[in-house]
Amino acid sequence: MPANKLVLMVLAVLVAAPAPAPADPDAPALERLVRQDCGSCHGLSLKGGLGPDIRSGALGHHDRASLTSLILDGIPGTAMPPWRPLLSEADATWIAGYLLNGAEE
Ligand code: HEC
């Protein structure tokens, strides 16, 4: 069997494997985005880097709604970009809940 077909079959098996996680079908992709994209500024463990600590304990001044808007709109005049071009409101709400519930753990 050609190697590329084998690769496709392996991918199909991986994709079909049951995800251990939450109801939102986008959750695994969003978790990856938080680690890689948000993590590129906020640190891989979200403890802070160029951007501040965004672990749950540091977000006490936010609720899920304020955090969702902040993710969608960014913080104008700072390096915190708006994510509206890439994320739906539902995605941003999910990420806000994920951060508040301790994404770093
Ligand atoms: C290009 C770098 C960069 C990326 C990528 C980035 N941020 Fe930020 N973020 C920042 C900076 C810088 C600040 C602080 C802005 C300021 O001076 O207030 C910030 C601030 C924040 C805050 C406010 C923290 C607080 O204490 O109020 C939150 C929450 C946040 N970012 C979440 C995220 C999330 C979630 C993502 C990924 C979807 C993300 N950021 C991606 C740079 C980034």
Side-chain angles (χ1 to χ4, degrees):
M1 163 182 334
N4 59 355
K5 195 161 178 197
L6 186 64
V7 168
L8 281 179
M9 282 179 64
V10 170
L11 280 178
V13 169
L14 287 177
V15 169
D24 188 326
D26 290 339
L30 292 174
E31 273 185 48
R32 245 188 332 271
L33 177 130
V34 169
R35 307 249 153 243
Q36 291 173 6
D37 296 64
C38 312
S40 70
C41 283
H42 291 277
L44 279 181
S45 52
L46 310 177
K47 279 187 225 186
L50 169 66
D53 189 340
I54 53 168
R55 290 174 296 176
S56 51
L59 293 176
H61 52 298
H62 286 290
D63 59 22
R64 197 166 182 182
S66 71
L67 211 47
T68 301
S69 327
L70 190 156
I71 292 167
L72 288 172
D73 297 327
I75 305 179
T78 76
M80 173 62 190
W83 290 86
R84 208 179 280 284
L86 291 173
L87 297 175
S88 68
E89 192 140 349
D91 290 342
T93 304
W94 187 92
I95 292 173
Y98 180 58
L99 292 176
L100 289 171
N101 288 327
E104 71 277 7
E105 279 151 23

